[in-house]
Amino acid sequence: MSLVLNDIIPQLQAEFFGNHSDAIISNVSIDSRSFQNNNQTLFFCLIGPNNNGHTFINELIEKGVSNFVVSEQIELKENVNFLKVENTLVALQQFAIFYRKKFSIPVIGITGSNGKTIVKEWLNFLLSPDYNIIKSPKSFNSQVGVPLSVIGINEQHNLGIFEAGISTVNEMQKLEPIVQPTIGILTNIGSAHDEGFENLCQKIKEKLKLFQNVSVLIYNKNKSIDAFLSPEINTFSWSENDKNADVLIHHKTTNNQTTLNITYQNTCFKLNIPFSDDASIENVIHCVMVLFYFKYDVDTIQNRIALLYPIEMRLKVKKGINNTTLIDDSYSSDFQSLKIALDFLENQKMHSKKTLILSDIFQSGLANDELYSRVSQMVIANKIGRVIGIGETISNYKNKFLNGITFKTQADFLSHFDTLNFENETILIKGARNFHFEEIVSLLEEKTHETVLEINLNAITHNLNFYKAKLKPETKIMVMVKAFGYGNGGFEIAKLLEYHKVDYLGVAFADEGIALKNNGIQLPIMVLNPETTSFDAIIQHQLEPEIYSLRGLNSFLKIAKQKFLKDFPIHIKFDTGMHRLGFEEEHLEELIAVLKSTKTVKVKSILSHMATSDDLQHKEFGLLQIERFEKLSNRLIEELDYKPICHLLNTSGISNFPQAQMDMVRLGIGLYGISNDTSEQKYLETVGTLKSIISQIRTIQKGESVGYGRRFMATQETKIATIPIGYADGIRRSWGNGIGYVTINNQKATIVGSVCMDMLMVDVTSIPCVEGNQVIILGENPSVNFMAEKLNTIPYEILTGISQRVKRIFYRE
């Protein structure tokens, strides 16, 4: 991209304020945290429910950004250009429309309820030998993601593949002129985002708006879709039962392979595909239809389809050898997704030392000299200390990377692995599929057993924003990351929260806060249950203690005075009815006297804890606690010559007592996708999924038993699968003996016999499965809430009970 600001201004219908309308624009940004921002960036100050891009203008100017699209009144700055518009999101979309019109390449537009990203990635793989393709990075298919995707087109691209997703009415009509698809694919119409539409008919009509100007629409023919199709749209359809479709397909699945029997243009042939699940079969068929439309011969289709592979749509964070952290993006190496991965690296880095392992980059649309010059600039901007390039092409550009090492093949890299000294660093591994970088990940990954807890960072962000939307703009937010982030992981979640600029983190004990500080977390951290023996360490690591008694206050003051501290931040806790920890009213005057007599500490906040915020049957008691807190805190504030932060509400309090937000709220279990309110639960996303595999399958006969104590006796021939997870991993023994279940291939498998220390056994008699198949122990089904209810406990106990020996894998979609 190389545009002049003068040409952009009329396209956005913007009012210009500045002195340099001839400024050159080479990239567009909406993220103030991206290291790709520079003096040729056009920054769109988007306003969302939880963030306002205008607040980062001064910070961006310091980083060298000098061109902004704004919608609010701003203070003009010397040598900074402002384009004033009514709505910055609309302006971003208008810019993308303007930019898209500069290119006349064919574009495949994909929408549907499921499968968009998979179809896009598979089409990219199937067509890339013959086309220079620009595609949506990851699953960039939203009102913001689509324009950002299209803006990646350049003169060398000769085919575009973009996905478009909508969640309610009137969204697709904004995306269609941005994508301007010439070929359309409707993957399916399912239940995703049903809440945004009145009914299925309305959803179909909205999705079809993407295809109003296409040359052809490819879809699975059915009457529901046909009823809303314009007769002016040329279609190319397939079906397994409608003989009026252009292509008839029948499939037969055995084990993990499927054979498609295809009839097309009076020709019948078979196509073997390496998948057995219904979703993958449907996605493959859509890809085959595109190959038919592009007039590929049957042999080519068969050869390429046979090479399809499961798509990993996630950026995963894993523990590596020698105290390293791995960011696994080992199946993708295109220029657009490299930008995203580098930003994610900065978001999740645990170490100041950063290494990038990168393969040759394909389909950038840029000449190699320009491509690797840009990659080098991105590496420098992101402060990557070491680049390890693998591939013939990147090896030719070794001199463009400071501290760069290159190998022409993966085998060459592996032979030198022991000399590369990976330790105490964060490593981004990013490679094209044919480089098989998963082998590098396997080599670098810390070896643990096959049970893992996958943590969805997108879900954490969603849940954070859900609760933020309930708050007044001025209300601060503390997020609780105690107990290893409620069992989900400490540092990685804290780093994400820091990235999203929450105001405070809360931990239970000093050692939790020290671990976060030692790993580079800069946010203020409050220690809720500090022991007097930890006060020295709290001061040393700049943690902030909660003080809940005169004994604790005097003990802390004694140590703080010895260190000649002044205004060290502390947090005063009142007991308003929980009767667990806190100053009671009878101690208030003595507390005031002590605080007024010293300059050693300063009260950063005043807090209390509600006992019944999650139970509206006790609403009156909750209101009484609020009243008591206001009385006690106001009395303390009257005697201080400053105003501390006041906070009382936890997760359920945010929803049930919104009038008591005060200065700050404390978000806990809700961040991790758990609510005690069933009406609220449906809006939260599942954060953690506990997974394992089938170790062994055996068939037992009627009268035979399973497990300790023979607590399960077979009443008929029964197929039993053994899963390598047990009560040492956090699965309660009481979850066994027919009470609990796991999910295998989307079907419930009941736990039989007692849960063992390291294993459990399930009945898979009616479930098609093989050894090595994935098993969902806990996640969406069964859910944490369901398990807690069945075991007569609370979700907190289930989450925090997951053992530390279970490896945590963090990922972003």
Side-chain angles (χ1 to χ4, degrees):
M1 177 190 297
S2 182
L3 301 172
V4 180
L5 207 56
N6 251 333
D7 296 330
I8 297 171
I9 295 168
Q11 300 298 326
L12 308 188
Q13 301 173 17
E15 189 177 0
F16 179 71
F17 299 92
N19 301 314
H20 302 286
S21 61
D22 58 347
I24 300 298
I25 301 300
S26 63
N27 72 295
V28 164
S29 177
I30 62 166
D31 188 350
S32 64
R33 298 159 295 199
S34 174
F35 280 130
Q36 276 87 63
N37 294 322
N38 56 46
N39 64 348
Q40 292 189 352
T41 295
L42 181 60
F43 189 89
F44 285 78
C45 299
L46 300 187
I47 301 174
N50 308 296
N51 289 299
N52 185 338
H54 296 81
T55 61
F56 306 113
I57 289 175
N58 289 333
E59 176 187 324
L60 285 159
I61 290 173
E62 290 181 7
K63 294 178 179 178
V65 178
S66 56
N67 304 288
F68 297 88
V69 179
V70 299
S71 59
E72 297 181 352
Q73 287 299 122
I74 38 85
E75 179 185 349
L76 299 181
K77 307 279 187 179
E78 188 177 354
N79 295 321
V80 178
N81 300 315
F82 293 101
L83 282 65
K84 180 86 177 327
V85 298
E86 279 192 29
N87 183 302
T88 48
L89 174 57
V90 172
L92 174 65
Q93 294 170 340
Q94 289 172 333
F95 178 87
I97 293 169
F98 157 67
Y99 188 75
R100 169 70 178 89
K101 288 178 179 176
K102 293 180 174 292
F103 303 93
S104 58
I105 62 174
V107 167
I108 300 173
I110 307 171
T111 195
S113 298
N114 304 101
K116 297 183 291 293
T117 302
I118 299 292
V119 171
K120 176 200 68 187
E121 295 294 336
W122 279 348
L123 283 176
N124 176 67
F125 172 79
L126 294 166
L127 297 171
S128 60
D130 311 303
Y131 294 91
N132 195 354
I133 299 170
I134 174 71
K135 62 183 176 70
S136 309
K138 300 299 178 182
S139 53
F140 271 39
N141 59 33
S142 66
Q143 297 290 301
V144 174
V146 171
L148 292 178
S149 300
V150 167
I151 289 167
I153 304 174
N154 66 42
E155 289 75 9
Q156 301 305 312
H157 293 124
N158 55 16
L159 178 64
I161 308 176
F162 299 111
E163 53 179 298
I166 58 173
S167 56
T168 189
V169 297
N170 300 323
E171 289 187 339
M172 194 63 86
Q173 63 197 47
K174 299 173 184 176
L175 300 183
E176 191 279 335
I178 299 173
V179 179
Q180 295 179 41
T182 56
I183 300 166
I185 300 175
L186 180 63
T187 57
N188 57 49
I189 301 290
S191 60
H193 300 295
D194 271 355
E195 65 278 5
F197 303 92
E198 292 179 2
N199 49 48
L200 182 64
C201 296
Q202 186 183 61
K203 179 190 278 192
I204 293 171
K205 287 193 285 188
E206 289 294 320
K207 288 188 179 291
L208 289 177
K209 288 179 181 178
L210 181 63
F211 309 125
Q212 56 195 27
N213 295 306
V214 295
S215 300
V216 65
L217 169 61
I218 294 169
Y219 76 113
N220 181 358
K221 187 174 181 62
N222 69 75
K223 293 178 181 178
S224 296
I225 305 297
D226 291 344
F228 298 101
L229 274 177
S230 166
E232 297 177 3
I233 295 179
N234 181 37
T235 61
F236 184 40
S237 62
W238 65 274
S239 179
E240 293 207 56
N241 47 49
D242 190 334
K243 293 183 179 180
N244 293 316
D246 299 296
V247 179
L248 290 177
I249 300 178
H250 299 284
H251 75 272
K252 181 179 180 181
T253 298
T254 54
N255 295 325
N256 290 321
Q257 295 285 324
T258 299
T259 299
L260 301 180
N261 293 290
I262 300 174
T263 303
Y264 173 50
Q265 293 182 339
N266 299 317
T267 301
C268 298
F269 62 94
K270 292 183 177 181
L271 185 62
N272 294 320
I273 64 174
F275 304 99
S276 58
D277 62 290
D278 290 342
S280 294
I281 293 169
E282 183 177 39
N283 293 334
V284 169
I285 292 172
H286 282 114
C287 293
V288 171
M289 293 291 290
V290 173
L291 296 180
F292 283 152
Y293 182 75
F294 277 54
K295 301 190 184 308
Y296 282 85
D297 61 78
V298 172
D299 287 343
T300 301
I301 293 173
Q302 288 178 325
N303 291 335
R304 293 189 184 180
I305 290 292
L307 298 174
L308 286 181
Y309 51 91
I311 295 294
E312 181 56 74
M313 294 183 291
R314 304 166 173 179
L315 282 162
K316 289 186 176 180
V317 182
K318 303 176 178 179
K319 285 188 177 180
I321 60 173
N322 305 327
N323 193 35
T324 59
T325 301
L326 312 181
I327 297 179
D328 179 4
D329 197 10
S330 55
Y331 291 98
S332 172
S333 184
D334 59 273
F335 186 64
Q336 291 295 97
S337 67
L338 176 60
K339 296 178 183 179
I340 297 170
L342 286 170
D343 283 342
F344 185 68
L345 167 63
E346 185 60 25
N347 170 211
Q348 280 295 311
K349 70 174 187 199
M350 182 177 282
H351 311 276
S352 57
K353 182 180 176 184
K354 295 181 285 188
T355 291
L356 169 63
I357 302 178
L358 181 68
S359 78
D360 288 347
I361 296 174
F362 301 120
Q363 297 180 304
S364 68
L366 302 170
N368 283 335
D369 284 347
E370 183 178 358
L371 168 63
Y372 288 100
S373 292
R374 290 195 185 186
V375 172
S376 174
Q377 291 166 10
M378 290 166 61
V379 165
I380 293 169
N382 280 270
K383 301 176 183 177
I384 305 297
R386 174 170 62 159
V387 176
I388 299 175
I390 301 176
E392 292 276 354
T393 306
I394 199 171
S395 294
N396 294 331
Y397 293 91
K398 175 181 177 180
N399 62 343
K400 289 191 177 290
F401 302 103
L402 291 174
N403 200 18
I405 308 167
T406 59
F407 303 94
K408 291 192 174 182
T409 65
Q410 192 213 67
D412 192 15
F413 165 83
L414 294 176
S415 69
H416 289 82
F417 180 82
D418 291 338
T419 68
L420 295 172
N421 300 319
F422 294 104
E423 59 182 5
N424 303 316
E425 58 191 306
T426 303
I427 307 167
L428 170 59
I429 304 154
K430 189 159 183 60
R433 170 72 183 179
N434 57 327
F435 281 88
H436 299 289
F437 272 18
E438 67 274 13
E439 296 175 19
I440 296 175
V441 173
S442 178
L443 200 60
L444 285 167
E445 192 173 0
E446 184 179 74
K447 303 302 180 285
T448 57
H449 72 135
E450 293 164 306
T451 296
V452 298
L453 179 62
E454 291 188 349
I455 309 299
N456 185 339
L457 297 175
N458 296 76
I460 289 180
T461 300
H462 168 88
N463 297 337
L464 173 66
N465 288 335
F466 173 79
Y467 285 101
K468 271 187 174 182
K470 293 175 176 283
L471 304 179
K472 294 176 289 188
E474 64 271 19
T475 303
K476 299 179 186 294
I477 188 165
M478 174 187 289
V479 180
M480 310 310 296
V481 291
K482 62 181 180 177
F484 193 54
Y486 290 65
N488 291 282
F491 164 75
E492 294 84 357
I493 291 174
K495 187 67 181 174
L496 179 67
L497 294 170
E498 188 169 62
Y499 185 75
H500 286 294
K501 301 189 177 182
V502 304
D503 300 284
Y504 257 92
L505 298 178
V507 297
F509 298 106
D511 56 352
E512 296 174 315
I514 291 168
L516 294 177
K517 287 292 187 182
N518 286 342
N519 280 306
I521 296 297
Q522 300 298 313
L523 283 174
I525 299 174
M526 176 178 160
V527 183
L528 279 81
N529 303 321
E531 298 152 316
T532 54
T533 54
S534 68
F535 283 159
D536 267 313
I538 283 174
I539 292 169
Q540 178 187 344
H541 291 90
Q542 292 295 298
L543 303 173
E544 301 180 16
E546 172 191 287
I547 302 296
Y548 49 81
S549 69
L550 288 167
R551 183 179 71 87
L553 177 58
N554 289 324
S555 295
F556 188 81
L557 284 173
K558 180 179 178 181
I559 296 171
K561 286 175 181 176
Q562 291 171 354
K563 298 180 181 296
F564 304 102
L565 298 179
K566 183 180 179 182
D567 291 341
F568 192 92
I570 64 171
H571 301 261
I572 297 297
K573 183 171 190 176
F574 286 125
D575 179 6
T576 58
M578 182 79 167
H579 296 329
R580 189 172 62 178
L581 294 174
F583 289 94
E584 294 181 288
E585 185 172 6
E586 63 188 81
H587 303 127
L588 180 57
E589 295 307 318
E590 190 174 356
L591 169 64
I592 289 171
V594 174
L595 291 174
K596 290 180 71 173
S597 68
T598 181
K599 295 291 184 182
T600 304
V601 296
K602 185 172 184 177
V603 180
K604 191 69 175 288
S605 83
I606 306 170
L607 69 147
S608 186
H609 194 68
M610 298 184 73
T612 60
S613 64
D614 61 343
D615 188 352
L616 291 179
Q617 290 184 12
H618 296 283
K619 184 175 183 179
E620 290 304 316
F621 186 75
L623 294 172
L624 177 62
Q625 282 199 269
I626 294 169
E627 181 183 334
R628 287 173 176 170
F629 180 69
E630 289 176 339
K631 177 184 175 183
L632 294 171
S633 59
N634 287 339
R635 175 75 182 98
L636 178 56
I637 292 168
E638 284 175 6
E639 297 293 338
L640 300 174
D641 58 357
Y642 53 88
K643 171 69 168 65
I645 298 168
C646 290
H647 51 112
L648 176 64
L649 300 184
N650 57 4
T651 295
S652 52
I654 293 171
S655 298
N656 293 334
F657 296 91
Q659 74 278 17
Q661 289 182 17
M662 302 181 187
D663 303 307
M664 184 163 71
V665 298
R666 302 188 299 271
L667 177 61
I669 194 77
L671 182 79
Y672 307 99
I674 305 296
S675 172
N676 67 296
D677 183 344
T678 53
S679 63
E680 185 173 273
Q681 182 65 54
K682 64 184 180 182
Y683 295 108
L684 299 177
E685 293 186 358
T686 300
V687 168
T689 302
L690 184 59
K691 294 181 177 181
S692 193
I693 64 163
I694 297 175
S695 294
Q696 190 175 42
I697 295 176
R698 61 171 44 78
T699 299
I700 64 172
Q701 302 304 314
K702 179 180 178 179
E704 292 189 297
S705 63
V706 174
Y708 289 116
R710 306 193 73 195
R711 290 184 175 86
F712 174 80
M713 303 289 292
T715 58
Q716 60 183 7
E717 184 177 271
T718 306
K719 188 165 64 169
I720 299 294
T722 300
I723 319 297
I725 184 172
Y727 56 76
D729 301 291
I731 304 303
R732 304 263 286 272
R733 285 189 79 244
S734 50
W735 188 233
N737 295 313
I739 294 174
Y741 68 90
V742 301
T743 302
I744 300 173
N745 292 332
N746 296 315
Q747 296 185 50
K748 292 182 179 180
T750 302
I751 299 173
V752 297
S754 296
V755 173
C756 308
M757 180 181 288
D758 309 301
M759 287 171 279
L760 57 81
M761 289 70 72
V762 298
D763 183 349
V764 293
T765 305
S766 60
I767 301 174
C769 57
V770 296
E771 292 174 359
N773 277 177
Q774 184 182 91
V775 180
I776 304 298
I777 309 295
L778 189 62
E780 290 189 3
N781 184 25
S783 69
V784 174
N785 281 326
F786 177 84
M787 182 182 284
E789 181 183 352
K790 288 293 184 182
L791 295 177
N792 195 29
T793 185
I794 57 176
Y796 296 78
E797 186 174 4
I798 302 298
L799 285 177
T800 58
I802 299 175
S803 168
Q804 293 297 298
R805 82 175 186 177
V806 174
K807 179 172 66 174
R808 271 70 173 172
I809 294 178
F810 299 84
Y811 69 90
R812 190 177 76 179
E813 298 285 2

